[in-house]
Structures are given as C-alpha cells and as structure tokens.
Amino acid sequence: MSRIPQAGYPALRLRRLRQNDWVRRLVRETTLAPSDLIWTLVVHEGEGRIPVASMPGVERLSIAEVRRAAVEARALGIPAIAVFPHIDGAKKDAAGSDAANPDGLIARAIKEMKDAAPEVGVLTDVALDPFTDHGHDGVVENGKILNDPTIERLIEQGIMQAEAGADILAPSDMMDGRVGALRAALEKGGHQDVMIMAYAAKYASAFYGPYRDAIGSAKLSAGQLDKKTYQMDPANGDEALREVALDLAEGADMVMVKPGMPYLDIVRRVVEAFSVPTFAYQVSGEYAMLMAAAKNGWIDEERAIIESLGAFKRAGASGVLTYFAPRAARMLGA
Ligand code: PBG
C-alpha cells in the first residue's frame, strides 16, 4: 500500500475524508452487522435465568429461555448460537460420562432451539470439560491428558450432538487428530452436511476465567487448572498456522482463533495464509474486562462493545463468537 504514489501535504489532507458522518460512512473499509455475530450462551438444568457474577449481563438460561433466545436471534438477524452447558456437579465425573448423553442438557437444548427457530444455526462445543469433575478437556491418567482415548470420547459426543440436530460441531479440546476423526465419524454416520468449526488456534489463556464460573467448573481455580499441555503457548504465532493447516487438512470447514482481542495478529495471519472462513472468539475474560471498566464509568460501554467487535472484522475475521451478540445486534439496529 505504501508503494502507491500519493500526494503530500497540503495537497493530501487525510482529515478531508473524516470531516462528517456521511463521508466517513462512504469510505469506511469494514462494517459490522448482526450477520457477523455468533451468540455464545450458557444453558442450565434449572428454571429461569441465573446471573453469572463475573460476567455482568450474562445469565445462564433454562431450556425454555434458550428456546426464546433462538427466536430472538432470528429476529435480530444473528445467524447462529453457540451453546455451552452448565451441568449439575452431581453429574460430573472423572471420565465426563454425561458428555455424550443423548438425553442430556445439550441434546435437549439443540432440539428445542432447532424446533423454535430452525433458521438459526446451532453450534456445539466438542470437549469434555463441562462434564469432568477435574475440569480438563480430556481423559486424565496419572496427571496426563491422554490424546487418543480422549478422541474416542469426543467422537461419541460429537455424533450425539449431530444426531440431536447440531449444525456445526466445534471441537475446543485441542487434542491432536480430533478433527479428522470427527470428520470420518460424521461421514460414516451419514452426517456429511454437518460442519466443523475447529478451535484451531486455541491458547492456554488466563482470559477464560469467568467462563469456568459460568459453566461451573470454577472449583479448580483458573490458576490451578493448567491446560498448557494441550492448549497453545500464548507466545507462539507460527504454530497457530500449523494448527490451522492441520485442521483444514483433516476436514474443518471453518477455523477459529481464541481468545480474540489479544490475538488479532493471529486472526490476520490465518486469514492471509489460508483465505478460509476464520472466526474469532471474544472470550469471557474479554467480556468481563470491558464490562468491569464500563461499570466503573471508565469507558463508554456501548462504544467499546462495537469498537471491540469491529476490530475483528478489520483484522479479517468472517465473524465473532461473543456474549455481546444480542446487545450488539440491537445496537447495530437490526
Ligand atoms: C473448553 C472451553 C473453554 C471455553 C470454551 N470452551 C475454556 C477452556 O478451554 O478452558 C472458554 C470460553 C470463554 O472463556 O468464553 N472446552
């Protein structure tokens, strides 16, 4: 871009194109619309809506509320919902046995959403952590997270989700080889149209803290729950490209970078290297930071929300998974 000849000051005054709203709109390089948003929400076994303390404005929703959310998403022009389960502690065990339960919370939530608003895509997380009492995403033996035995479990879980009607499976576990195994199992099971959005570049991040609170796996404090043997080192960028390449080769339709805002460089690199649909996840900690500052009056809440989401589009993302989705869609005037 810098190679394009351009005039110098005063012939060139870049402020000319900023002088009022209509011209700013005219030359705007990227736009944010409700169709860029995937609404991340948490479903729980009980009744009603339960506030998540560390995420002001986010509530765990009952199955009935999730049904309503799907209808709301449709009305707001939000294309898809990503649903996460808050499982009763009593149902959790070391193996995460409830993960593939065809009558479990996630299966019921999927069916209700697809019944209430079939036009809205449903995305489900393929990972064991909401179902394990230790909070890890995989099968643990002698303190080690076992890769291949975990994949076996993930396949059961993913197929159950596909059978319940999930449109997009999103493996978030970071085991090696899980995308290929899942793709093969979907093909074999007659689910060739089910999409995979791989959490391809997922980092071992401090920014997932409030999520553990939201899905109730916070009993191990975020500091203790170390996922560094499977999630990526935040210092690495080249490795993200290898992860993405591998997941695409194994049959992922879309890829994701997570967390979002501290990793916009990764989003940009993935988009430039692969030109495939690339999503960013504005995670719970990012949500919490923005809301904490806004609640203190330190930043303008609505402007910060829209600016943070627009940044993902500028970085090249196809869309954003965000807890702000319904609010943002309303602000964007859907
Ligand atoms: C785990 C999973 C996590 C999130 C989504 N899926 C947490 C983790 O990896 O420990 C985090 C979401 C968020 O922080 O908003 N499979």
Side-chain angles (χ1 to χ4, degrees):
M1 202 176 70
S2 53
R3 273 170 276 133
I4 299 170
Q6 56 176 22
Y9 169 86
L12 178 67
R13 289 178 185 269
L14 289 171
R15 288 184 55 196
R16 266 187 224 119
L17 296 179
R18 297 177 203 146
Q19 63 185 292
N20 55 42
D21 184 59
W22 69 259
V23 73
R24 287 194 297 269
R25 283 192 288 129
L26 200 60
V27 301
R28 190 157 290 153
E29 296 176 32
T30 58
T31 54
L32 179 70
S35 58
D36 296 316
L37 308 174
I38 297 176
W39 180 359
T40 50
L41 57 77
V42 180
V43 61
H44 72 110
E45 297 273 8
E47 297 298 313
R49 312 170 72 101
I50 300 180
V52 177
S54 51
M55 301 177 73
V58 169
E59 297 164 312
R60 292 181 201 131
L61 305 181
S62 66
I63 292 268
E65 292 289 342
V66 163
R67 241 190 112 85
R68 261 174 238 133
V71 172
E72 191 183 351
R74 178 174 59 195
L76 290 169
I78 296 170
I81 291 179
V83 59
F84 298 89
H86 176 278
I87 299 297
D88 286 342
K91 290 196 179 153
K92 299 188 187 192
D93 58 25
S97 307
D98 210 41
N101 181 354
D103 304 311
L105 186 57
I106 281 293
R108 282 180 280 134
I110 296 167
K111 287 179 191 151
E112 291 287 339
M113 286 192 282
K114 293 310 296 187
D115 179 57
E119 306 85 348
V120 175
V122 171
L123 182 153
T124 48
D125 230 45
V126 183
L128 301 182
D129 63 310
F131 308 94
T132 55
D133 52 13
H134 44 70
H136 276 296
D137 295 43
V139 177
V140 185
E141 204 177 273
N142 299 326
K144 275 198 172 169
I145 289 65
L146 304 181
N147 197 86
D148 299 4
T150 298
I151 291 180
E152 300 294 314
R153 306 294 328 284
L154 297 174
I155 289 172
E156 289 168 30
Q157 183 185 26
I159 293 299
M160 176 282 285
Q161 293 170 349
E163 278 167 4
D167 300 293
I168 306 177
L169 303 188
S172 72
D173 56 289
M174 290 298 280
M175 297 302 120
D176 287 324
R178 89 282 205 214
V179 171
L182 207 50
R183 177 48 77 208
L186 287 170
E187 196 64 33
K188 202 169 141 216
H191 300 294
Q192 61 280 353
D193 291 336
V194 171
M195 292 164 258
I196 297 179
M197 181 189 291
Y199 283 73
K202 176 170 177 179
Y203 289 86
S205 173
F207 292 99
Y208 309 146
Y211 170 86
R212 309 246 165 94
D213 186 15
I215 67 154
S217 70
K219 62 179 192 127
L220 288 164
S221 79
Q224 277 175 296
L225 189 59
D226 181 345
K227 300 193 175 184
K228 290 182 189 144
T229 70
Y230 45 110
Q231 300 178 348
M232 284 178 58
D233 183 340
N236 295 354
D238 293 343
E239 189 188 358
L241 302 186
R242 299 181 76 192
E243 281 285 3
V244 168
L246 196 55
D247 286 356
L248 290 172
E250 290 180 22
D253 303 284
M254 306 172 252
V255 295
M256 191 204 298
V257 173
K258 178 187 176 189
M261 212 148 67
Y263 295 84
L264 290 181
D265 58 321
I266 307 299
V267 173
R268 167 58 73 187
R269 287 180 68 180
V270 168
V271 169
E272 284 182 349
F274 297 100
S275 304
V276 295
T278 303
F279 291 79
Y281 194 145
Q282 183 181 54
V283 300
S284 57
E286 298 173 60
Y287 179 94
M289 284 196 300
L290 287 166
M291 290 304 287
K295 293 292 169 216
N296 276 294
W298 296 335
I299 58 174
D300 182 289
E301 188 167 320
E302 298 210 331
R303 280 184 60 199
I305 291 171
I306 296 300
E307 183 178 331
S308 70
L309 294 171
F312 293 106
K313 292 299 299 294
R314 192 192 61 241
S318 307
V320 193
L321 290 92
T322 176
Y323 301 92
F324 287 121
R327 270 192 80 183
R330 260 179 248 115
M331 279 186 254
L332 293 166

